[in-house]
C-alpha cells in the first residue's frame, strides 16, 4: 500500500474502524449442481454489499472510500486498472497499488470487469473475506453457477472447485490447450502472457478467471509489502 507523507491519523482511524467491521452480509448466490443430480446454494457478498457493511463505520471515523478506474496501454494491449484509496478527514490517505488486468473487449463486459476488480481491491484493502467456504463439495465433481456474474457472462461452468485463496488458485491445473496439465502457478512463472490471454478470453470458464484474479491481488499485496519493508 502507498501512504501519504504524514499518516499517523489515517493509520489510527483505519485501525479503530477495522476493529468494528463485521463480516459483510452475503447478498448474492452461487448455485452448485452436484454430480449425483442434486443441488445446493451458498452466498457471497458483491461490491454493494461490501460498501453497506463498512460505510457507517468508516464515516464514524472520518474515512471516505474512493475507487478510481482507468485504462492504460500495457506491453500486450489495453489494461483495465483499479485503485482503492482510504481518504481521512485530516487530509491523510492510504491507497492500493493499481490492480491491472487485460481490458475486456465490449463495453458491457468492461463495466462488469471493473466492478469485479473493485470488489477484489476493496476486499484486500479492508482485509475481509466475501465468500463462504464451499465445504470441498466441488472436489467431488460438482459444478458452480454464479447467479451474479456480470464480468464473465461468456464463460463456462467448471467442474473445478472455486478456490478460497491465491494458494488454491495457483494449484488449479489446466485441462485443455498447449499447457494442459500445468498449474496456474507454473504458468504465472513460465508464460505470463498466456495467463493474460486466459483472463481476457471470453471462453475461459469463470473459475479460472476468478483464480487468476485472486493470484493478481495476492501478487500486488506481496509487492506492496516488500516496498513497505524496504522503506522501513
Amino acid at each position: 500500500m502507498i501512504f501519504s507523507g504524514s499518516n499517523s491519523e489515517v493509520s489510527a482511524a483505519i485501525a479503530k474502524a477495522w476493529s468494528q467491521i463485521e463480516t459483510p452480509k452475503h447478498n448474492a448466490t452461487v448455485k452448485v449442481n452436484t454430480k449425483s443430480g442434486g443441488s445446493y446454494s451458498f452466498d457471497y457478498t458483491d461490491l454493494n454489499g461490501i460498501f453497506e457493511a463498512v460505510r457507517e463505520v468508516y464515516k464514524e471515523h472520518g474515512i471516505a472510500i474512493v475507487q478510481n478506474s482507468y485504462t492504460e496501454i500495457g506491453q500486450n494491449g489495453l489494461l483495465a486498472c483499479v485503485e482503492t484509496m482510504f481518504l481521512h478527514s485530516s487530509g491523510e490517505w492510504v491507497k492500493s497499488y493499481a490492480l491491472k488486468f487485460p481490458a475486456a473487449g465490449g463495453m458491457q463486459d468492461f463495466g462488469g470487469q471493473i466492478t469485479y476488480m473493485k470488489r477484489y481491491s476493496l476486499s484486500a484493502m479492508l482485509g475481509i473475506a466475501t465468500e463462504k467456504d464451499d465445504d470441498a463439495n466441488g472436489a467431488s465433481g460438482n459444478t458452480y453457477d454464479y447467479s451474479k456474474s456480470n464480468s464473465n457472462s461468456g464463460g463456462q461452468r467448471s467442474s473445478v472447485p472455486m478456490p478460497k485463496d491465491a494458494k488454491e488458485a495457483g494449484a488449479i491445473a489446466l485441462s485443455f490447450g498447449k499447457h494442459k496439465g500445468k498449474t496456474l502457478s507454473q504458468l504465472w512463472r513460465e508464460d505470463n502472457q498466456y495467463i493474460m490471454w486466459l483472463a481476457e478470453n471470453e471462453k475461459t470458464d469463470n473459475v479460472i478467471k476468478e483464480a487468476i484474479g485472486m493470484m493478481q491481488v495476492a501478487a500486488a499485496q506481496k509487492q506492496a509489502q516488500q516496498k513497505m519493508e524496504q522503506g522501513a
Side-chain angles (χ1 to χ4, degrees), residues 38-58:
S39 66
Y40 72 97
S41 298
F42 68 90
D43 301 326
Y44 74 105
T45 311
D46 65 12
L47 182 61
N48 288 334
I50 299 173
F51 274 114
E52 289 178 3
V54 303
R55 183 179 288 112
E56 292 304 316
V57 174
Y58 271 50

Side-chain angles (χ1 to χ4, degrees), residues 149-172:
S149 186
N150 295 331
S151 62
N152 297 321
S153 58
Q156 305 167 353
R157 289 192 302 175
S158 175
S159 59
V160 178
M162 188 65 68
K164 296 187 289 292
D165 52 36
K167 183 177 180 180
E168 285 193 5
I172 292 176

Side-chain angles (χ1 to χ4, degrees), residues 6-34:
S6 85
N7 52 65
S8 58
E9 291 192 50
V10 67
S11 298
I14 290 174
K16 291 177 182 178
W18 189 86
S19 68
Q20 295 177 240
I21 295 175
E22 297 183 0
T23 301
K25 294 181 180 179
H26 295 141
N27 62 352
T29 302
V30 181
K31 183 179 180 181
V32 180
N33 298 309
T34 67

Side-chain angles (χ1 to χ4, degrees), residues 38 60 90-91 108 129 139 143-144 170 201 211-212 220:
E60 177 185 342
S90 64
Q108 184 175 359
T143 58
Y144 290 73
N201 194 316
I212 293 173

Side-chain angles (χ1 to χ4, degrees), residues 3 5 11 31 38 45 51-52 78 81 86 105 147 149 154-155 165 173-175 205:
F3 287 86
S11 298
K31 183 179 180 181
T45 311
F51 274 114
E52 289 178 3
L78 191 67
C81 310
F86 294 163
S147 61
S149 186
D165 52 36
L174 296 185
S175 60
D205 70 57

Side-chain angles (χ1 to χ4, degrees), residues 124-220:
M125 284 283 284
L126 291 169
I128 60 176
T130 61
E131 288 86 24
K132 183 178 179 181
D133 192 334
D134 65 35
D135 296 323
N137 281 284
S140 300
N142 305 333
T143 58
Y144 290 73
D145 184 12
Y146 276 77
S147 61
K148 292 186 179 181
S149 186
N150 295 331
S151 62
N152 297 321
S153 58
Q156 305 167 353
R157 289 192 302 175
S158 175
S159 59
V160 178
M162 188 65 68
K164 296 187 289 292
D165 52 36
K167 183 177 180 180
E168 285 193 5
I172 292 176
L174 296 185
S175 60
F176 57 87
K178 64 180 182 179
H179 290 301
K180 182 177 180 179
K182 288 190 175 182
T183 65
L184 291 180
S185 288
Q186 286 178 288
L187 290 178
W188 190 275
R189 297 189 301 268
E190 300 172 5
D191 193 349
N192 197 253
Q193 186 173 355
Y194 189 73
I195 285 282
M196 295 179 71
W197 177 84
L198 284 174
E200 188 177 22
N201 194 316
E202 64 178 15
K203 293 184 178 180
T204 301
D205 70 57
N206 296 332
V207 173
I208 297 295
K209 289 188 176 184
E210 187 93 358
I212 293 173
M214 288 182 178
M215 293 171 68
Q216 188 172 34
V217 169

